[in-house]
Every structure is written in C-alpha cells, then in structure tokens.
Amino acid sequence: MILKNTEIKIVKADITSLKVDAIVNAANNKLVMGGGVAGAIKKKGGGIIEDEAVKLGPIKIGEAVATKAGSLAAKFVIHAATMGLDFKTDEEKIRLSAKNTLELAEKLKINSLAFPALGCGVGGFPLLASAKIISQEILKHLREQKTSLKEIIFCLYDQEAFDIFNKGVVSYLGYVTTKLQSGPFTTVDVIIEIDGGIVVIKRSNPPFGWALPGGFVDYGESLEDAVTREAREETNLEITNLKQFHTYSDPHRDPRFHTIGTVFIAQAKGAPQAGDDAAGLKIIKLPEIENMDFAFDHKKIMQDYIKLRYNEKKA
C-alpha cells in the first residue's frame, strides 16, 4: 500500500534481522532492555545498545530517543517508551509513542522504519487496537508533514499477530484513504446580516447562481475558523456574533459531489466587497429571495432562515 510517496508493508519476521534505517523498540521509560522485543534487540545487537539507551534515560512515557544499532542490520534503534516498569500501557501512551517515533525519524532523516506491535507484549494491549492506533498516527504524520520516510514496515514475529495486523492495517488504511477521503466533504456557509439585509455572492464557477458566502473546510481547520476565513475572502468582511444555524446533509444538495454543510448566522460591519473568485456581491432583502436563482440548496436555506425569523417575531 502506498500513502503519498511512502510504502506501507506488513511482514512476518524477526525485527532484529531487518535491513532498514531504524527499528522501533517498545521500551520502558527507564530504557532498561529486559524481555520481549527489547530483549531480542539487546541479545542480537549487543549490550552496547542498552548502555547507550540508559544514558539517555529516564524519559517520559510516550517519548522516544534513538541509539546506534550495535551489530544489527539497522542503523538506529528508536526506543519508544510505551510504559513504565509497571508494564502498564494504554491508548494514549501507545499513540504518543508512535507520534514521537515518527517525528524523531524525520529528525534523523530516516528513509525506512520498522514498527513492532507496540504495547502488545508484556503490556498486554490488544493487537488490533495497536494496529489501528499506529496506523492513525502514520496517516496523520504523512498527511501533515513533508517526510523523508519512503518505507514503513509493521514487523510481527508470530502468525497470529501478523494476521491481525495484516488485516487490520490494510483494511483500516484502505477504508480511510479510499472510502472516507472520497467524501462526503465538509463545507460551511454563512448568513451575514448587515444593513437590514443579507449578503449574497454571485458565483463565477459552476454551479452558477447566487449563493451564501462559504466553501470547503481545510484539513486542520475548525468550522468556525473556516467560515470566518471564507467570509473574509469572499466579502472582505470580518464577521461577529457567529452562531450555528443548521446542518444540511442531503446527498444531492450539491450537484458536484456529496457535501455536508453547516450554516452559520453572523453580523458584520463595513463595506462588503466581492472576492476574486466571485462574479458579484450584493445585499438583498428577504422578500427578494423567492425571485432569485440560487446555487446548491441555498434557496431552501434562506427559506428556513426566514421561518426562523418569523417564528422569533411571533414568540
């Protein structure tokens, strides 16, 4: 499986035999290498690995440090502290360990990295849960950062672990990258109340028509930040008193593809001005809505808004 330019592999092997830039040790925060993966790394790579690691410790649970790899085929061992000496671990510790391992790999300019089943040895954490947590951190890391990583390997020692990771990682990442990323997409729109009317823009791109200011939510952006940005870009207005109105999710509301749009109500001061991607802008009174051609489902949104204001007046 390829994510961006990074190949994801699941192999059944002894992690100490892999010829990669770095292997990950599911460590304790004292960095003492006892049993499990740590013991295997120390036995094959030599006590020099533990000696170097202990000098770097103790570290906080969730942190990661790197040492040379002794006589192993790898160049580095990244010691990710998934637990203390009480051998207790959980989702947060494993997630943070995976995150910090990936960030350290970037600092070391590593091209190939091999993970074991973090937390699943003496920590007793469920294999499938570990597979999904590490996968989530890898996906987030590759999506958010420019990476040196060309190959990330999940290395499992026994058949049961391999089968669970092989199914869990591939199916999970496949679901996220194909089904989820194909939509539905998240959008925001805003009803800007100003000078006794509502701001609408004329779209310069298909689907054409009049529309409320709005657009797509960027990755890492809140709905509120997105709608504030879109309002500024499309109307040159800074909106205030932002409140959520309603969410519209009809799969056919957008003729391009399935979108789920959250609509806000806000006020603004100043002189609205159409942005570069708008063919026009104007402030309309509510009675004008019925005679205008709106894109998407924006006429329905405006009709719902009129009902809201009507009911408020009656109350």
Side-chain angles (χ1 to χ4, degrees):
M1 173 180 289
I2 304 293
L3 294 180
K4 287 197 170 180
N5 296 316
T6 304
E7 185 175 9
I8 310 297
K9 294 181 179 178
I10 301 94
V11 301
K12 180 177 176 292
D14 180 349
I15 198 170
T16 64
S17 67
L18 296 183
K19 294 182 179 180
V20 292
D21 288 343
I23 62 172
V24 182
N25 171 31
N28 58 69
N29 70 314
K30 299 291 186 181
L31 303 179
V32 176
M33 302 176 72
V37 173
I41 291 172
K42 177 181 175 181
K43 182 178 180 181
K44 189 167 182 178
I48 189 172
I49 300 174
E50 182 181 45
D51 293 341
E52 185 180 351
V54 169
K55 290 178 183 178
L56 297 173
I59 60 176
K60 294 180 180 179
I61 297 174
E63 290 184 347
V65 295
T67 66
K68 296 294 179 59
S71 58
L72 298 177
K75 297 177 183 177
F76 299 98
V77 176
I78 295 180
H79 305 264
T82 59
M83 64 188 73
L85 289 178
D86 59 359
F87 305 127
K88 294 180 180 179
T89 193
D90 55 35
E91 176 185 345
E92 183 179 357
K93 294 171 184 175
I94 293 171
R95 187 177 299 281
L96 193 56
S97 296
K99 175 180 182 292
N100 285 324
T101 293
L102 292 163
E103 290 181 355
L104 182 54
E106 301 295 354
K107 291 178 182 178
L108 296 172
K109 300 187 185 304
I110 282 171
N111 296 137
S112 53
L113 177 68
F115 278 98
L118 293 179
C120 299
V122 294
F125 199 75
L127 286 161
L128 183 57
S130 178
K132 290 187 175 182
I133 291 168
I134 303 170
S135 297
Q136 289 162 3
E137 290 304 311
I138 289 172
L139 182 63
K140 182 165 63 174
H141 181 85
L142 296 179
R143 185 170 187 174
E144 294 179 354
Q145 298 194 30
K146 184 177 180 180
T147 182
S148 63
L149 289 162
K150 302 300 181 186
E151 181 182 56
I152 298 176
I153 299 171
F154 290 88
C155 183
L156 296 312
Y157 187 73
D158 61 61
Q159 190 65 45
E160 178 190 12
F162 171 79
D163 289 342
I164 291 173
F165 266 69
N166 191 42
K167 182 178 180 181
V169 171
V170 172
S171 63
Y172 182 78
L173 289 179
Y175 173 75
V176 173
T177 57
T178 57
K179 192 166 185 179
L180 288 187
Q181 290 188 2
S182 63
F185 301 99
T186 305
T187 65
V188 287
D189 298 292
V190 59
I191 300 169
I192 303 176
E193 302 172 333
I194 186 170
D195 298 334
I198 302 297
V199 178
V200 293
I201 61 168
K202 191 171 186 179
R203 290 179 54 81
S204 60
N205 296 307
F208 297 113
W210 291 95
L212 295 166
F216 291 98
V217 180
D218 291 338
Y219 184 80
E221 194 174 40
S222 70
L223 296 178
E224 290 77 12
D225 287 344
V227 78
T228 300
R229 171 182 56 77
E230 288 287 349
R232 184 187 308 116
E233 292 174 355
E234 295 188 349
T235 71
N236 198 39
L237 292 170
E238 294 294 334
I239 55 178
T240 61
N241 301 324
L242 189 66
K243 295 179 181 179
Q244 281 196 25
F245 172 47
H246 191 69
T247 295
Y248 294 82
S249 59
D250 187 329
H252 306 294
R253 66 183 297 267
D254 187 327
R256 299 168 298 179
F257 26 63
H258 185 183
T259 63
I260 295 177
T262 298
V263 180
F264 290 81
I265 298 173
Q267 287 82 49
K269 294 181 179 180
Q273 182 178 347
D276 293 339
D277 61 348
L281 177 150
K282 64 180 180 178
I283 299 174
I284 62 170
K285 303 299 182 181
L286 296 185
E288 298 177 58
I289 289 170
E290 293 301 326
N291 297 321
M292 295 179 65
D293 292 325
F294 282 92
F296 313 113
D297 57 351
H298 286 198
K299 178 169 282 190
K300 172 175 171 45
I301 292 172
M302 294 299 294
Q303 290 168 340
D304 290 345
Y305 169 76
I306 291 172
K307 291 177 184 176
L308 170 72
R309 292 302 185 223
Y310 177 75
N311 289 333
E312 287 176 346
K313 288 182 179 179
K314 285 182 62 179

